[in-house]
Amino acid sequence: MLIVVARRAVYMIVTLAVVSVLSFAIIAAPPGSALSQKISQLQSQGGEVTEAQIAALKEQYGVDESWFTQYGKWISGFWHGDFGFSFTLNEPVGSLIWSRLGLSLLLSIGALLIAWGLSIPLGVYSATHRRSLPDNVITVIQFVGVAIPEFLFALVVMTLAANYLGADVGGLFSSQYENAPWSWAKFTDLLEHLWIPLVVIAAGSTAWLTRVMRANLLDVLNNQYVQTARAKGVSERKVIWKHAVRNSLHPLVMTFGTTFPVLISGEAIVSIVLNLPTIGPLLVNSLLNKDMYVAGTILLMLSALLVIGNFVADLLLTVIDPRIRVGE
Amino acid sequence: MRGTVTPRVTGPDRPPTEPENRTMSQSYAAEEGTPAAAPVEVPHGAGDAVLSIRDLEVEFPTQLGVVRALNGVTFDVPRGKVLGIVGESGCGKSVTARAILQIIEKPGRITGGSITLRSVGGETEITGLSPDSARMRELRGREIAMIFQEPMSSLNPVYTIGAQIAEAVLIHQTRNREEAHKRAVEMLRQVGMPHPEAAAASYPHQLSGGMRQRAMIAMALSCNPTVLIADEPTTALDVTTEAQILELIRNVRDRAGMSIMFITHSMGVVAQLCEEVIVMYLGRIVERGSVDDLFYDPKHPYTRALLRSIPRIGRNRKAPLEVIEGSVPDPHTRVAGCPFHPRCPEAIPGRCDTTVPALSTAGPGHTVHCHLYQGDDETGRTEPGEDA
Ligand SMILES: Nc1ncnc2c1ncn2[C@@H]1O[C@H](COP(=O)(O)OP(=O)(O)OP(=O)(O)O)[C@@H](O)[C@H]1O
Ligand code: SF4
Ligand SMILES: [Mg+2]
């Protein structure tokens, strides 16, 4: 077991190293980065001070040196929390991303929990009441949920919430709390603003996972061991939850790794629509402005999350399935 | 329909040959066993049936139409004996077994008939209970236990063998987990599982098919059921393992005096294990009798065909094995008259294809549903073509 974890950890680090090279290569490839713009801007100002600044910048980021040196300089900064500098926002990347990454994670994990919490019971109900009216209703909602684009859904929910619930949509806080110190009122205000993005981000995954859960459970219910359990005198509720559901969770857990990036990208779109300070809009802007260190760092961070997500999924699988835990 | 089906209690007429041993606690495999339960005294005599099934009908509504899986099945499971049920694939053997436990998959359901269980606790009308009722759940595993064909898939892959056996014990016998676990290990020992402690702690995928089937048997026996239903428990096993499992089941009958309903499609297994046999065809019983009756004096053309289709040592090897002409009809269509008539070499035109043959007696405890034996019996002989 420990060996498995250690081996997986090594794979993870190798994967991330490869991803870091690739993401840097992709970002550095096109000419005219934010850095070179910054330098030409400084050059046009002229003067001795700026000359020194330009020299310092070139030295720091290895502008005239080989691609590999540039990469080395960027990546070695990671050890002491220096991810480079945003030349469009004039701020170190480190101070830009943490709070946004935190909010993104909060939204994605929250949405994931909502999706799992809803899709498992809904899928079980659907499968055990096949072709009943509620099952059909759930199925129709699922299809709508899977098909509707997130930005549209975000707009619809926003409109409904603003018109009928009188909710203040968009942003994280109401204006009066924007710069206020943390308090209980500010926290509840945050929650009032967060439910809309959570619902919107979770909707698609919930619909999809309910579908997966229903199909799996129907499959598992055909297994002989379900009959064995019934033949022992196990109550129907326990037959479903203890014997069948436990065996139909695998694909759901396996999707954990893949659901995660989907949630992150969904989060980006929703955050743009709802004007939330998360990592998504920052990534989009940095790509547009060729702000290479911001984009590179975010890509690397997201890859790290994806890899960690898969790792967690694998660990969970070994927990729920003894066939993986104790080999043949 | 002409001749009416007369339900008869066809009790065993042969005197019991085995020494009667009614304690339910010994080791079934090893020489020595530790007694675990008090001996249960049950009445025994000719015509004493643990289970009586009368005119049982089961239907599966499907998209292609209603599948009538059982069309009036009537038989008794004699106490303390092994009753074999044979028939081709799809004739309704498993459905009969599942109907008795009321675990037929939805949307299948029992549409008629009755199932009566006579256990120590008295008489229970199973068809009168709702499948989800507490009383029905109490019967499952406690009074009637079942083992299945596929040892690969009949145990849950995510729980240990011990936990799965203990689950049954916890439902029916004790609330104490430790005790239940001890009982599980003890049961594994009794069915001849090597290293029962280790086996209890292992998962199904870590055991061989034969060992899994032993574990299934241990689970089924863990609550000392009155009736054991074995649905083709050896079909998926190799010959050596099959012999071991059959030996184990014989010991279960001898030592615990358990009544066993043994489903198989192998006449060879019937000869080795059973005392009485039922032959099923298309959701009906076509013949019933003692093993000797059926092997030495088979009456129904289908039974004869089944017997001719098994290879025998000493028979001319060059002579091809006989196969039964034609195949089992599509389950959605209903065959008028005798269900076997499209394939029967002796079918009487105008009679077999119109009238369902009633039950006739071919000897003591030997009954058959076939117009050939309808003679001057209850129905009176009808000349071919007379009733169109
Ligand atoms: N879940 C189901 N849905 C529809 N029809 C079914 C279902 N289960 C059984 N049947 C029908 O009931 C009939 C009897 O099936 P059953 O499983 O009892 O056969 P069997 O005698 O046990 O055969 P085998 O030797 O292959 O196990 C078949 O014709 C089948 O079509
Ligand atoms: S009743 Fe007729 S068709 Fe059926 S088995 Fe007997 S002879 Fe054959
Ligand atoms: Mg079967």
Side-chain angles (χ1 to χ4, degrees), chain B residues 286 299-303 337-349 351-353 355-358 368-374:
Chain B
V286 295
K299 294 291 186 208
H300 199 281
Y302 178 64
T303 316
C338 169
F340 192 52
H341 85 258
R343 300 166 75 189
C344 180
E346 294 162 64
I348 309 162
R351 179 154 172 198
C352 292
D353 50 359
T355 318
V356 180
V368 61
H369 285 269
C370 174
H371 285 305
L372 292 178
Y373 308 95
Q374 211 90 83

Side-chain angles (χ1 to χ4, degrees), chain B residues 45-353:
Chain B
D48 175 23
V50 226
L51 266 178
S52 297
I53 286 117
R54 293 287 171 270
D55 300 316
L56 188 65
E57 288 177 16
V58 171
E59 287 181 358
F60 288 93
T62 67
Q63 262 131 0
L64 294 168
V66 175
V67 175
R68 295 177 49 108
L70 298 185
N71 303 293
V73 165
T74 298
F75 67 95
D76 288 320
V77 180
R79 197 178 294 278
K81 295 195 173 186
V82 183
L83 170 74
I85 299 189
V86 288
E88 270 168 303
S89 196
C91 68
K93 306 182 295 288
S94 302
V95 169
T96 308
R98 291 201 294 263
I100 293 173
L101 281 174
Q102 294 221 58
I103 53 170
I104 293 174
E105 300 98 331
K106 284 176 197 162
R109 58 193 190 89
I110 299 175
T111 47
S114 68
I115 302 168
T116 315
L117 171 75
R118 291 186 201 90
S119 63
V120 196
E123 205 164 288
T124 315
E125 181 55 53
I126 290 178
T127 31
L129 301 171
S130 144
D132 295 328
S133 64
R135 175 79 186 121
M136 193 63 232
R137 287 205 306 271
E138 213 176 281
L139 292 182
R140 294 185 194 129
R142 175 78 195 85
E143 297 285 356
I144 309 170
M146 186 158 170
I147 47 185
F148 299 93
Q149 173 174 352
E150 279 295 326
M152 292 302 168
S153 60
S154 51
L155 289 162
N156 194 326
V158 303
Y159 298 109
T160 60
I161 303 285
Q164 295 186 56
I165 300 176
E167 187 180 26
V169 179
L170 282 168
I171 293 170
H172 299 295
Q173 299 201 312
T174 170
R175 299 211 163 268
N176 184 329
R177 286 180 177 277
E178 217 171 296
E179 221 174 278
H181 179 76
K182 272 199 205 126
R183 174 89 182 137
V185 174
E186 173 53 31
M187 285 316 299
L188 287 170
R189 194 191 318 278
Q190 285 185 18
V191 298
M193 182 77 91
H195 314 296
E197 289 279 355
S202 52
Y203 290 93
H205 73 272
Q206 295 171 300
L207 301 181
S208 69
M211 288 304 142
R212 274 182 245 193
Q213 206 54 294
R214 272 178 205 271
M216 269 306 288
I217 295 174
M219 183 194 289
L221 298 179
S222 61
C223 302
N224 288 325
T226 313
V227 186
L228 175 67
I229 301 177
D231 189 355
E232 306 195 31
T234 59
T235 307
L237 304 176
D238 62 76
V239 194
T240 325
T241 321
E242 172 172 52
Q244 289 168 357
I245 297 291
L246 291 180
E247 179 62 28
L248 176 59
I249 291 177
R250 251 193 304 272
N251 288 347
V252 168
R253 178 205 54 194
D254 292 348
R255 298 217 179 203
M258 204 170 278
S259 317
I260 300 173
M261 188 173 134
F262 195 96
I263 296 172
T264 176
H265 48 233
S266 154
M267 278 298 198
V269 171
V270 170
Q272 286 180 60
L273 185 72
C274 305
E275 283 131 321
E276 299 197 17
V277 196
I278 281 172
V279 181
M280 283 186 78
Y281 187 77
L282 267 194
R284 289 171 199 275
I285 287 174
V286 295
E287 187 164 4
R288 168 183 183 137
S290 69
V291 170
D292 290 349
D293 286 343
L294 256 82
F295 274 85
Y296 297 114
D297 185 22
K299 294 291 186 208
H300 199 281
Y302 178 64
T303 316
R304 289 195 220 142
L306 268 186
L307 285 168
R308 279 198 300 271
S309 66
I310 47 173
R312 250 179 245 197
I313 296 171
R315 202 153 67 175
N316 182 5
R317 285 194 194 197
K318 296 211 177 81
L321 274 181
E322 234 174 284
V323 283
I324 306 175
E325 286 288 319
S327 54
V328 182
D330 165 54
H332 299 284
T333 52
R334 288 186 69 180
V335 183
C338 169
F340 192 52
H341 85 258
R343 300 166 75 189
C344 180
E346 294 162 64
I348 309 162
R351 179 154 172 198
C352 292
D353 50 359

